[in-house]
DNA sequence: AAATGTTTATGGCCGG
DNA sequence: CCGGCCATAAACATTT
């Protein structure tokens, strides 16, 4: 029996679904988002099985990216030239996999509809974005240098970092990366309903920054009024006028056909809007949620504000 | 043109 | 058996 953590599958097909493989790839990089080609690369690097029949499985993988709500598309900024968008995990899909294992999913993640929660006017969304950016900036300025080293995902979380599910991401991608803080995917899931705290993760894996990063040479301009924290053009956010923009915003419309369901919350913790690109490997920002209404440990007990659901 | 994304269809597997 | 999840194929459309 091959051991996944050692990548000894050789030619055998790994026991992971495309969703799992894609989630691994996305989780493996500090930005928590990857272009399609990098997802391909990640999979092919680690699983020789996928070095053949690329047309077949890549078609399937693209199908999964588009079809599953747990993946969201994040457009490139103009200073990030390249083909295609970035793909990220939907913030609300953190508990997709049981116990941090990528072997099986819990429930199908489905995003819900929430037109009523969106800003009524595009200008509102723009204003909201600006506020988020300012909050984030001030939070970073206030806390950038002297933050409690809460060891990223262990902050306030009782979950001991010693247990690592054999199929947890850190054991899967550990071939190249060692996680200082002992970050387990299962640990992350226990936080904030799986909200990816990009800055903290990057702090936890500073050494990964230059090894797996797509764009290290693109400092984000926080002063820009055209782009949100995630590099999502405000214009693209507003045209739909159905989502709030402080988190990676899915380009694809939320399934409005689902009756009585809602997707995005009226309020999003400010720490969610921290920009991955704004982080520097040499000056890690351990910005905690200064302007956030809830600490990670609090969000443990509170239901996620993001109203997505695991349809079952 | 090739890469990327979207959508529909079909069939297998598995658990309730 | 039925429904959910998954893999695969294929026909597009869009973007670079």
């Amino acid at each position: 029996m091959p051991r996944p953590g050692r990548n000894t599958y050789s030619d055998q097909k790994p026991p992971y679904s495309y969703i799992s493989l894609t989630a691994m790839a996305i989780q493996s990089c500090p930005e928590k988002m990857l272009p399609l080609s990098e997802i391909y690369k990640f999979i092919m690097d680690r699983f020789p099985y996928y070095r053949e029949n690329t047309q077949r499985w890549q078609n399937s993988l693209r199908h999964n990216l588009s079809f599953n709500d747990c993946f969201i598309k994040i457009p490139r900024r103009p200073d990030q030239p390249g083909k295609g968008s970035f793909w990220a995990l939907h913030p609300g899909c953190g508990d997709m996999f049981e116990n941090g294992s990528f072997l099986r999913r819990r429930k199908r993640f489905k995003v819900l509809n929430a037109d009523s929660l969106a800003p009524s006017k595009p200008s509102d969304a723009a204003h909201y974005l600006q506020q988020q950016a300012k909050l984030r900036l001030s939070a970073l300025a206030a806390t950038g240098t002297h933050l409690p080293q809460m060891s990223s995902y262990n902050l306030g979380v009782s979950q001991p970092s010693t247990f690592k599910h054999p199929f947890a991401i850190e054991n899967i991608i550990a071939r190249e990366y060692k996680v200082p803080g002992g970050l387990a995917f299962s640990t992350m899931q226990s936080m904030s309903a799986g909200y990816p705290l990009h800055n903290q993760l990057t702090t936890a894996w500073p050494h990964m920054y230059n090894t797996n990063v797509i764009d290290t040479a693109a400092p984000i301009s926080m002063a820009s009024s055209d782009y949100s924290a995630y590099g999502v053009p405000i214009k693209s956010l507003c045209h739909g006028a159905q989502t709030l923009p402080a988190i990676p915003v899915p380009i694809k419309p939320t399934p409005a056909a689902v009756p009585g369901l809602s997707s995005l919350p009226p309020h999003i913790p400010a720490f969610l809007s921290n920009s991955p690109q704004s982080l520097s490997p040499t000056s890690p920002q351990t910005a905690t949620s200064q302007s956030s209404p809830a600490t990670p440990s609090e969000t443990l007990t509170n239901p996620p504000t993001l109203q997505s659901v695991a349809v079952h």
Side-chain angles (χ1 to χ4, degrees):
Chain A
M1 219 15 199
R3 298 209 294 155
R6 301 299 179 100
N7 296 101
T8 52
Y9 288 108
S10 76
D11 292 352
Q12 302 207 33
K13 182 168 184 169
Y16 307 108
S17 66
Y18 289 118
I19 292 181
S20 300
L21 292 169
T22 307
M24 279 180 215
I26 292 173
Q27 286 293 325
S28 76
C29 92
E31 282 73 19
K32 303 300 159 217
M33 57 182 196
L34 284 176
L36 182 65
S37 57
E38 293 296 317
I39 298 175
Y40 290 161
K41 192 139 68 89
F42 176 95
I43 295 173
M44 294 173 76
D45 277 353
R46 283 161 183 76
F47 305 105
Y49 173 86
Y50 290 109
R51 290 169 195 163
E52 294 175 356
N53 301 313
T54 52
Q55 290 301 308
R56 256 193 347 190
W57 70 263
Q58 289 179 354
N59 181 24
S60 297
L61 188 131
R62 289 195 305 273
H63 158 76
N64 273 276
L65 280 173
S66 288
F67 184 73
N68 291 101
D69 285 340
C70 57
F71 299 115
I72 57 178
K73 224 173 58 177
I74 300 176
R76 290 175 185 267
R77 301 194 313 270
D79 57 333
Q80 297 172 311
K83 280 200 142 191
S85 306
F86 292 101
W87 289 96
L89 288 169
H90 192 287
C93 73
D95 57 351
M96 257 197 321
F97 302 97
E98 226 160 70
N99 201 18
S101 169
F102 281 92
L103 282 181
R104 51 178 177 174
R105 280 213 290 174
R106 287 182 161 171
K107 294 170 183 174
R108 182 174 173 79
F109 174 79
K110 211 65 175 123
V111 125
L112 306 176
N113 179 38
D115 293 34
S116 57
L117 296 179
S120 55
K121 292 178 298 184
S123 57
D124 291 344
H127 181 256
Y128 180 82
L129 273 182
Q130 304 247 7
Q131 292 303 314
Q132 290 297 313
K134 286 177 186 172
L135 281 174
R136 186 174 55 253
L137 269 182
S138 55
L140 286 177
T143 64
T145 55
H146 63 286
L147 278 170
Q149 287 296 326
M150 301 266 308
S151 158
S152 72
Y153 283 90
N154 289 328
L155 25 74
V157 183
S158 59
Q159 161 109 11
S161 61
T162 50
F163 170 74
K164 296 171 182 63
H165 192 287
F167 291 90
I169 183 166
E170 68 169 346
N171 282 325
I172 295 163
I173 66 178
R175 193 190 72 187
E176 300 171 14
Y177 310 124
K178 287 288 182 290
V179 184
L183 167 68
F185 194 60
S186 55
T187 309
M188 191 186 78
Q189 291 174 17
S190 64
M191 286 190 48
S192 309
Y195 289 130
L197 308 182
H198 303 272
N199 58 330
Q200 293 168 353
L201 192 57
T202 306
T203 305
W205 299 355
H207 53 292
M208 287 180 55
Y209 195 90
N210 285 322
T211 58
N212 207 13
V213 96
I214 301 309
D215 179 15
T216 57
I220 188 174
S221 168
M222 303 297 285
S224 165
S225 59
D226 289 338
Y227 291 89
S228 74
Y230 277 84
V232 179
I234 290 177
K235 299 178 186 68
S236 75
L237 296 174
C238 297
H239 87 279
Q242 59 183 1
T243 58
L244 284 176
I247 60 171
V249 174
I251 295 177
K252 58 184 173 187
T254 55
V258 184
L261 302 178
S262 58
S263 148
L264 287 174
H267 176 74
I268 296 170
F271 66 82
L272 284 179
S273 59
N274 283 329
S275 167
Q277 279 90 3
S278 68
L279 296 170
S280 159
T282 55
S283 61
Q285 324 253 3
T286 326
T288 46
S289 48
Q290 291 284 324
S291 47
S292 167
T295 67
S297 55
E298 283 168 350
T299 55
L300 249 183
T301 54
N302 292 339
T305 47
L306 195 68
Q307 294 177 15
S308 45
V309 76
V311 172
H312 122 283

